[in-house]
Amino acid sequence: MVDTPFQQPQSLNVRQNRALALAGVFQATQLTHMTAMTGQQSIGETGNFYFEQLIKASLNIRPALNTSTQTLDFFNQLGDIALGLKTLESSINQPFSTTPKSKIPKLPSAKLPMSYAMALLQLEKKVYSNPEYVAVIEKSQQKILKQLSFFDNNYMHPSIIANLAQAYVDTAGQINPRILVRGNAESFKDPNHTNRIRASLFTGLQLAHLWRQLGGSSWNMIFSKRKLLQDIQTLARLQYQMV
């Protein structure tokens, strides 16, 4: 076990913390989408930065109830989740589905991150209600945290990415309906490419778990979209005030 890596002077209210955790889920699915469609090299340094922040957070979000009620304790600053806030805001007016189908419907590519996010929120409940899957996640977290010392704390090392991907395969990847990611068919032949996609989904699964621990629920999200949008806009303003 390790302590949460960052402590923030700025305290957010319950709703804002929940919205920020949900933005983390959407950041993970946006990165999943970007990687699948354009390849791991095309997401650039900015995409890698956002991915690294999610990896750090996912390793510190525990299956048991986390002692922190501040989402920012798992990140360095609001800017670390800026991509997720933007993605969530752009998706907020799209219809949410609480029962994702086994096959992704024919949606414009812009809607795919939302589809993946809603599927992750459903998978999280199934994963964390299974003690065997919870044990897999805990074991994987400890293994990766130990490995980091051998890789100079390089969270983006291929071995770290591969272990995160395997954690996803061994948990959410065992549950139907599975998330079917659309992308470049040729790129999916590269194991490093698929590892990054699965690792991104694992970080999203972990942020979904934090969101649930903070009181998040799919039904509440559907019927409180206006409040959620207000919280996102407030967080966006705070992001620039805290720079």
Side-chain angles (χ1 to χ4, degrees):
M1 301 290 286
V2 297
D3 294 330
T4 50
F6 307 111
Q7 297 295 327
Q8 297 290 331
Q10 176 76 37
S11 291
L12 306 177
N13 64 35
V14 173
R15 262 181 31 195
Q16 290 169 341
N17 276 292
R18 197 157 51 226
L20 197 58
L22 184 61
V25 178
F26 275 74
Q27 180 158 304
T29 57
Q30 178 65 22
L31 289 170
T32 297
H33 173 61
M34 291 166 60
T35 303
M37 298 299 291
T38 63
Q40 64 184 64
Q41 301 300 326
S42 300
I43 68 172
E45 291 185 9
T46 302
N48 284 331
F49 167 79
Y50 288 130
F51 187 23
E52 183 175 1
Q53 308 319 307
L54 289 178
I55 292 174
K56 291 177 180 179
S58 71
L59 292 174
N60 285 285
I61 295 171
R62 304 302 177 193
L65 187 63
N66 290 284
T67 56
S68 175
T69 58
Q70 293 290 314
T71 303
L72 277 179
D73 284 349
F74 299 95
F75 295 91
N76 189 29
Q77 57 188 350
L78 275 169
D80 294 350
I81 325 176
L83 176 63
L85 287 169
K86 182 177 180 180
T87 304
L88 178 55
E89 183 177 18
S90 66
S91 301
I92 201 70
N93 293 319
Q94 302 296 335
F96 288 109
S97 171
T98 58
T99 55
K101 297 180 180 179
S102 58
K103 292 186 177 181
I104 297 175
K106 292 183 178 180
L107 297 172
S109 60
K111 295 184 180 180
L112 288 174
M114 182 182 70
S115 177
Y116 301 152
M118 298 309 296
L120 277 177
L121 296 182
Q122 295 299 312
L123 280 173
E124 181 273 337
K125 288 195 296 185
K126 296 178 181 179
V127 167
Y128 276 95
S129 64
N130 186 320
E132 291 184 6
Y133 293 153
V134 171
V136 168
I137 291 174
E138 289 179 321
K139 185 176 180 180
S140 297
Q141 285 178 317
Q142 294 306 313
K143 177 182 178 181
I144 293 170
L145 288 169
K146 290 178 180 178
Q147 281 185 315
L148 282 168
S149 61
F150 294 101
F151 299 129
D152 296 323
N153 288 321
N154 178 8
Y155 288 84
M156 302 295 287
H157 191 282
S159 292
I160 300 298
I161 302 296
N163 282 319
L164 289 167
Q166 192 61 47
Y168 179 81
V169 170
D170 292 340
T171 55
Q174 302 299 311
I175 299 172
N176 289 318
R178 298 177 183 176
I179 296 178
L180 301 180
V181 177
R182 288 185 181 181
N184 186 320
E186 195 65 29
S187 296
F188 280 111
K189 296 178 182 179
D190 180 0
N192 291 325
H193 180 80
T194 54
N195 279 344
R196 284 180 69 103
I197 290 173
R198 288 167 176 163
S200 293
L201 290 172
F202 177 76
T203 66
L205 184 75
Q206 290 296 89
L207 266 297
H209 184 54
L210 179 62
W211 173 76
R212 189 85 57 187
Q213 288 180 326
L214 294 171
S217 72
S218 298
W219 285 112
N220 185 57
M221 182 172 60
I222 293 169
F223 293 111
S224 303
K225 288 195 289 184
R226 181 175 297 179
K227 291 181 180 179
L228 179 57
L229 183 58
Q230 291 173 349
D231 292 333
I232 294 167
Q233 292 170 343
T234 299
L235 289 166
R237 288 193 295 270
L238 284 173
Q239 175 186 336
Y240 295 104
Q241 292 174 11
M242 295 172 66
V243 171

